[in-house]
Amino acid sequence: MGERALAADKKNATRLRAALVFLDEASFLMAPLVRRSWSPLGQTPRLIQRTRSHQKVGVIAALCVSRRRDRVRLFFRLYPHTNITAAILVAFLRELARTLKAPIVLVWDRLPAHRGKLMAAYVKENRHLHCVLLPPYAPELNPVEYVFGHLKMNPLANLACTEVLALTDIARHHGRSLQRREALLRAFLDHSPLALRFR
């Protein structure tokens, strides 16, 4: 699918008076993402982490543009010790549909869970939901990737948690803080090569 197909889908979202939803999944790992930082002279910062910990926090995030194109909102759910499955995605989409109360044009990547039998059955039984697949190997087109990048490279950088529940609480706090920064959410959309117009 190229830029023309994506442009057509954006026009369909306007014609359907549908919310435009960009969705993706990721994980926050126990091992800290190390970034250069400041410290007092002679006091080298130290990160103490739990070794050989493969624990993680799964996350689903949806960046939603309202059907009138005048509002951008972020919705997310955290799943400690969990890999995101098609069943979890369906439950998330059901809750999102109840919250938005509008037809949805869903834009996401070609993850197998997005194209499996369970998801196909859910899409078929929900006529308010229209799915659009992004081109393969094009994460830069999905603005939600910038949401994850911002969280990992800014508030969660250099964070060495020893317990997965502590990481979950901190990630939830910063995610909720990001929900209140609509200008930054719009910047993620603007940074994507997809051309979106807002009111």
Side-chain angles (χ1 to χ4, degrees):
M1 179 194 325
E3 290 285 336
R4 288 184 184 177
L6 288 171
D9 288 310
K10 287 184 289 182
K11 288 179 181 178
N12 287 339
T14 303
R15 181 179 52 78
L16 294 168
R17 299 192 63 197
L20 190 57
V21 175
F22 297 92
L23 188 142
D24 203 5
E25 309 82 21
S27 295
F28 298 130
L29 304 177
M30 295 286 288
L33 179 65
V34 179
R35 284 193 70 187
R36 182 176 295 184
S37 73
W38 296 93
S39 69
L41 185 65
Q43 298 179 27
T44 303
R46 295 176 59 204
L47 293 176
I48 300 173
Q49 75 173 85
R50 203 169 156 186
T51 60
R52 295 195 298 177
S53 176
H54 301 290
Q55 300 177 39
K56 63 182 179 181
V57 179
V59 57
I60 303 175
L63 200 55
C64 305
V65 182
S66 68
R67 56 184 174 181
R68 292 174 58 192
R69 306 294 177 257
D70 60 349
R71 188 174 181 195
V72 180
R73 299 163 73 188
L74 174 67
F75 298 92
F76 70 95
R77 285 289 176 269
L78 300 172
Y79 302 89
H81 303 288
T82 306
N83 291 319
I84 305 300
T85 63
I88 291 174
L89 281 167
V90 167
F92 181 86
L93 288 172
R94 281 199 177 107
E95 189 174 343
L96 185 65
R98 282 195 296 269
T99 302
L100 294 178
K101 297 177 182 175
I104 294 173
V105 171
L106 178 63
V107 182
W108 57 5
D109 59 24
R110 296 170 183 263
L111 187 76
H114 299 169
R115 298 176 289 139
K117 292 180 181 179
L118 184 61
M119 187 57 64
Y122 175 73
V123 171
K124 188 175 181 179
E125 72 183 32
N126 291 276
R127 298 195 174 198
H128 68 278
L129 182 62
H130 308 272
C131 292
V132 178
L133 294 175
L134 289 167
Y137 310 110
E140 71 281 357
L141 293 178
N142 195 338
V144 181
E145 293 284 353
Y146 302 115
V147 172
F148 295 141
H150 170 80
L151 289 172
K152 291 178 180 181
M153 294 295 291
N154 291 285
L156 299 181
N158 299 329
L159 176 68
C161 293
T162 56
E163 298 295 333
V164 73
L165 293 181
L167 176 60
T168 304
D169 289 341
I170 293 169
R172 182 178 294 113
H173 167 75
H174 290 296
R176 287 177 176 166
S177 176
L178 189 56
Q179 285 178 318
R180 296 189 291 270
R181 301 178 64 185
E182 188 173 356
L184 184 55
L185 298 178
R186 286 175 180 254
F188 296 143
L189 289 162
D190 290 340
H191 193 68
S192 169
L194 298 177
L196 295 169
R197 292 183 182 176
F198 297 104
R199 291 183 182 177

